[in-house]
Amino acid sequence: MRTHVADTKNKAGETVELFGWVHSRRDHGKLIFIDLRDRSGTVQIVFVPQQKDYELASSLRSEWVLKITGKVAERPEKMINSEIETGKIEIQPESLEVLAQAETPPFPLDTDGREIGEEVRLKYRYLDLRRERLQKNIALRSKFVDAARQFLFKKGFLEIETPILSAPTPEGSRDFVVPSRLNPGKFFALPQSPQQYKQLLMVAGFEKYFQIARCFRDEDLRADRGFEHTQIDIEMSFVGQEDVTALDEEFTVSVVESLGYKIKEKPFPVFTYKEAMEKIGADKFDLRTEEDKKSGVLAYAWVKDFPFFEKDKEGKWTFTHNPFSMAKPEHADWLLKGDNVGDILTTQYDLICNGVEVGGGSIRAHKPDMLEAVFRIMGYSKESIDRQFGHMLEAFKFGTPPHGGIAHGVERNLMTLLGEDYLREVVAFPQTSSGRTSVMDAPSELEEKQLKELHLQVKK
Ligand code: ASP
């Protein structure tokens, strides 16, 4: 029975049943104008004196929830408002019902919200999300993920979930850990990415996998970095570097063009890391002109041939991108022997867009000796390799197809599409910049009983 507010514009002369919130109330002389808002937009309701619900209408306040039945009427010429979608019509109400009253919100909801402090916005996130900008951002996120799924299903990928309670998988960050009640003193780690599981799914013969995967990384927070993020995680068997980047480019073009965006250059330009550093001085760069920026064009590029290793703060070798990657074939020998470590290039490819890294992946080491060599170069003892990655080395002994993949950060992609500077603008319930949850109070203390069950003691 319900009509969405935006659909009223095509229903002049009809009687409709509307549900929504009071966006605003204006009293003009004896007339009361209510802008009723639902997810689709706003529409004007006009109450005139003598009308049955006029008294009730005069008591309405912002954010009250209403049910209104009324007739859609064309507005007189001089009353047309070309700024809103429903500006040519208005509703002449026949009945009004208040479904819920509302307290005055702690901040305005009819602005873009950027002027409001983060703390209060996130405390009342469910109200903050009512603003038009965030409704639009979160809806685009849903459409983005939907378009991604549709493309990947059409290409024969299977969507497969992998565990959240798991063993550590290194992506260069700290792990979030979860104590085990049944195993005193032992902990799960939340995945920094599904990297190892997706590779095991290739061993398992699924050949084409994807997942809209939650990833957890305990790292210093920045504008474009939270403790958790979502990635569109892809892995394929029997592929080389060009197969993955070609598929991924088709994926990216299909998804963003289906959402109405324009891409500056197709096929995407390709840079080696060396070229990028020499020519541009960075491995993430923005290829847009000022004109492109104004018109919302997306400038994608691939960067490849990264060094596999770099020295960490203590002067030890560490991976630059992904320890599970394969070295470029011409450097495989160096990797196995641990020669020329600083010159070994990896099959890593990064996708950048408008200066932001929006995706990255590699062809993987699928033979145990290759993977072992990576950890050996980073100074892992045989014993610690076996303890941490023995399951991968073992799996790789049972006929592992060559494989590779990529992952796209959903939030980073949305931020570039929307021109938003902060991750929190594209996440429904983001963490605050000090790492606390929206609305709910976490992290917080545990009850003594719970600590005991988990075999934990908190040092005062
Ligand atoms: N696991 C990588 C990441 O999370 C992506 C990949 O190599 O597929 O960044």
Side-chain angles (χ1 to χ4, degrees):
M1 294 301 283
R2 180 187 177 194
T3 298
H4 276 115
V5 154
D7 295 333
T8 54
K9 62 179 181 293
N10 309 317
K11 292 189 184 277
E14 293 179 40
T15 297
V16 292
E17 197 173 277
L18 304 175
F19 291 82
W21 289 261
V22 175
H23 193 59
S24 65
R25 190 192 91 206
R26 295 176 307 280
D27 296 358
H28 279 296
K30 298 220 162 69
L31 299 181
I32 300 170
F33 292 93
I34 301 290
D35 280 344
L36 185 76
R37 182 190 75 235
D38 69 12
R39 169 183 148 176
S40 68
T42 62
V43 69
Q44 176 168 288
I45 325 278
V46 190
F47 288 89
V48 296
Q50 290 97 40
Q51 195 166 345
K52 149 168 153 287
D53 295 307
Y54 183 78
E55 277 306 308
L56 184 55
S58 72
S59 71
L60 296 177
R61 315 245 322 259
S62 282
E63 301 308 311
W64 285 25
V65 183
L66 310 180
K67 173 185 176 185
I68 292 180
T69 309
K71 193 158 172 209
V72 183
E74 284 184 31
R75 292 193 200 185
E77 196 70 43
K78 61 179 193 312
M79 303 292 276
I80 287 177
N81 176 355
S82 52
E83 312 248 295
I84 62 168
E85 242 194 292
T86 57
K88 286 195 173 140
I89 54 104
E90 61 191 15
I91 308 294
Q92 296 167 349
E94 285 157 12
S95 78
L96 164 66
E97 194 182 328
V98 174
L99 301 178
Q101 297 193 357
E103 286 186 13
T104 307
F107 41 66
L109 304 181
D110 56 359
T111 65
D112 71 16
R114 292 195 173 88
E115 75 289 0
I116 306 163
E118 178 203 70
E119 195 83 357
V120 64
R121 275 184 69 197
L122 296 189
K123 176 164 186 227
Y124 297 98
R125 182 60 159 181
Y126 45 89
L127 295 179
D128 191 39
L129 285 167
R130 285 186 191 169
R131 70 185 70 256
E132 192 183 345
R133 178 171 64 100
L134 294 189
Q135 289 275 319
K136 197 177 108 224
N137 288 4
I138 300 298
L140 186 71
R141 181 176 175 136
S142 174
K143 288 186 191 127
F144 178 83
V145 171
D146 179 34
R149 273 205 172 91
Q150 282 188 39
F151 176 91
L152 292 166
F153 282 136
K154 221 167 50 205
K155 291 284 178 182
F157 284 79
L158 297 181
E159 183 171 12
I160 306 177
E161 287 177 291
T162 56
I164 296 295
L165 293 176
S166 183
T169 193
E171 289 282 354
S173 182
R174 279 179 221 92
D175 292 317
F176 278 101
V177 296
V178 179
S180 163
R181 179 178 58 85
L182 296 176
N183 300 273
K186 302 212 165 144
F187 296 81
F188 296 101
L190 307 186
Q192 291 185 32
S193 84
Q195 183 67 38
Q196 298 189 58
Y197 285 112
K198 70 172 168 172
Q199 292 191 244
L200 293 170
L201 289 170
M202 296 303 105
V203 181
F206 288 105
E207 297 193 21
K208 287 173 153 192
Y209 141 98
F210 86 95
Q211 177 176 199
I212 314 296
R214 297 299 279 278
C215 304
F216 305 86
R217 302 182 186 182
D218 187 358
E219 52 196 350
D220 295 334
L221 298 170
R222 290 198 225 133
D224 64 347
R225 230 183 222 183
F227 286 151
E228 48 186 297
H229 70 272
T230 303
Q231 61 190 32
I232 298 173
D233 197 45
I234 299 173
E235 198 76 5
M236 291 181 275
S237 292
F238 307 111
V239 288
Q241 199 166 329
E242 265 76 51
D243 299 307
V244 182
T245 53
L247 177 282
D248 197 70
E249 188 160 326
E250 196 186 335
F251 164 82
T252 303
V253 169
S254 154
V255 170
V256 305
E257 287 187 347
S258 79
L259 298 173
Y261 286 87
K262 271 219 168 58
I263 295 173
K264 182 178 167 81
E265 193 179 339
K266 291 187 289 187
F268 302 165
V270 182
F271 296 77
T272 65
Y273 174 76
K274 190 157 172 276
E275 275 166 5
M277 294 309 282
E278 280 169 9
K279 283 196 202 143
I280 308 168
D283 60 355
K284 300 177 203 20
F285 41 83
D286 195 341
L287 295 170
R288 288 173 304 168
T289 60
E290 284 308 313
E291 194 49 46
D292 293 335
K293 285 184 190 172
K294 269 185 231 133
S295 56
V297 162
L298 301 168
Y300 287 96
W302 289 105
V303 184
K304 59 175 197 174
D305 295 354
F306 290 90
F308 204 136
F309 300 97
E310 66 188 0
K311 289 263 169 86
D312 67 12
K313 281 195 213 95
E314 290 142 32
K316 289 201 307 210
W317 288 116
T318 182
F319 58 92
T320 61
H321 285 77
N322 190 336
F324 295 97
S325 300
M326 178 94 97
K328 298 277 289 182
E330 58 274 28
H331 296 164
D333 237 29
W334 289 350
L335 183 85
L336 284 172
K337 294 191 185 126
D339 286 345
N340 307 323
V341 172
D343 297 327
I344 300 173
L345 298 181
T346 164
T347 52
Q348 175 80 24
Y349 28 78
D350 277 359
L351 183 63
I352 57 171
C353 178
N354 299 358
V356 176
E357 183 191 320
V358 292
S362 63
I363 300 303
R364 324 300 184 185
H366 72 283
K367 297 199 175 128
D369 55 345
M370 284 281 180
L371 182 59
E372 214 174 331
V374 172
F375 290 107
R376 210 167 41 234
I377 287 172
M378 297 193 294
Y380 285 59
S381 66
K382 175 89 181 89
E383 185 244 316
S384 102
I385 297 176
D386 280 344
R387 184 164 34 84
Q388 295 180 61
F389 305 107
H391 55 276
M392 296 298 281
L393 300 174
E394 177 157 73
F396 287 177
K397 289 181 195 157
F398 292 98
T400 300
H403 60 282
I406 191 161
H408 295 256
V410 170
E411 292 81 7
R412 296 251 180 102
N413 276 277
L414 264 293
M415 286 165 68
T416 52
L417 296 183
L418 289 160
E420 292 283 8
D421 293 328
Y422 294 93
L423 187 112
R424 63 167 176 261
E425 309 298 350
V426 298
V427 179
F429 295 101
Q431 283 110 22
T432 67
S433 48
S434 54
R436 304 192 55 82
T437 49
S438 311
V439 189
M440 296 195 221
D441 187 24
S444 64
E445 277 107 33
L446 294 185
E447 303 266 325
E448 200 48 51
K449 175 170 173 279
Q450 227 177 339
L451 283 172
K452 223 169 165 177
E453 268 178 356
L454 294 170
H455 323 282
L456 292 179
Q457 234 176 349
V458 177
K459 270 196 175 164
K460 288 282 176 308

